[in-house]
């Protein structure tokens, strides 16, 4: 085999090795359901807000969804880019149900996800106590 043939083969191998397909990392999917334990129907026109938050930094919302609902439990799903996840953050899911812009149910407990190895959770809301004057 001549030096030219060897060079052509070497160039071909180098070109083929440069054609490696790089797949982007899989997104992080968080899903579950949000509900409450009370045996009552929601008033017509209720909506729910479900969010992934930073549990250590109050008020830091990572992702949020709001939509109208008629009953619970309410399934939810968030798809987050893998490169947006920080291993030092304690992520959690919170939810609240509103009627006429007033919160009537909300989460009081923490529901950690993602960096604890769980990407599915069941979120339980409790009635909001109305303060009387």
């Amino acid at each position: 085999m001549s030096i030219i043939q060897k060079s052509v083969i070497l160039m071909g191998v180098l070109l083929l090795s440069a054609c490696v397909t790089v797949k982007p990392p899989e997104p992080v999917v968080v899903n579950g359901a949000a509900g409450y334990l009370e045996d009552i129907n929601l008033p017509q026109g209720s909506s729910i807000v479900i969010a992934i938050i930073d549990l250590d930094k109050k008020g830091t919302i990572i992702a949020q969804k709001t939509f109208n609902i008629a009953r619970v439990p309410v399934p939810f799903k968030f798809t987050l880019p893998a490169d947006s996840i920080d291993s030092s953050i304690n992520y959690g899911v919170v939810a609240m149900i509103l009627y006429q812009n007033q919160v009537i149910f909300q989460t009081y407990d923490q529901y950690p996800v993602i960096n604890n190895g769980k990407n599915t959770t069941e979120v339980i809301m409790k009635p909001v106590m109305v303060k009387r004057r």
Side-chain angles (χ1 to χ4, degrees):
M1 191 181 291
S2 73
I3 197 141
I4 294 176
Q5 289 173 324
K6 288 180 183 178
S7 296
V8 169
I9 291 172
L10 181 59
M11 290 298 291
V13 170
L14 288 174
L15 286 174
L16 286 175
S17 67
C19 295
V20 175
T21 303
V22 177
K23 289 175 111 178
E26 292 289 323
V28 175
V29 177
V30 175
N31 57 37
Y36 53 79
L37 302 176
E38 288 71 18
D39 189 20
I40 60 173
N41 294 326
L42 288 172
Q44 187 174 3
S46 295
S47 62
I48 191 166
V49 178
I50 303 173
I52 297 177
I53 64 167
D54 181 334
L55 293 172
D56 299 326
K57 289 184 182 174
K58 191 171 184 162
T60 304
I61 298 170
I62 309 303
Q64 178 176 302
K65 294 182 178 196
T66 302
F67 46 93
N68 294 328
I69 58 171
R71 62 182 172 273
V72 295
V74 178
F76 63 85
K77 179 178 179 179
F78 289 92
T79 304
L80 307 169
D83 61 357
S84 71
I85 301 302
D86 182 337
S87 63
S88 68
I89 293 177
N90 291 312
Y91 297 98
V93 177
V94 294
M96 64 181 168
I97 296 176
L98 297 102
Y99 175 67
Q100 296 180 342
N101 292 323
Q102 298 293 315
V103 178
I104 57 175
F105 285 91
Q106 72 179 27
T107 50
Y108 289 94
D109 299 321
Q110 292 188 348
Y111 297 93
V113 291
I114 301 173
N115 288 332
N116 65 342
K118 287 178 57 177
N119 285 22
T120 301
T121 189
E122 183 176 297
V123 177
I124 304 296
M125 294 172 282
K126 296 177 183 171
V128 172
M129 298 302 198
V130 178
K131 294 181 182 179
R132 307 259 183 216
R133 292 181 187 186

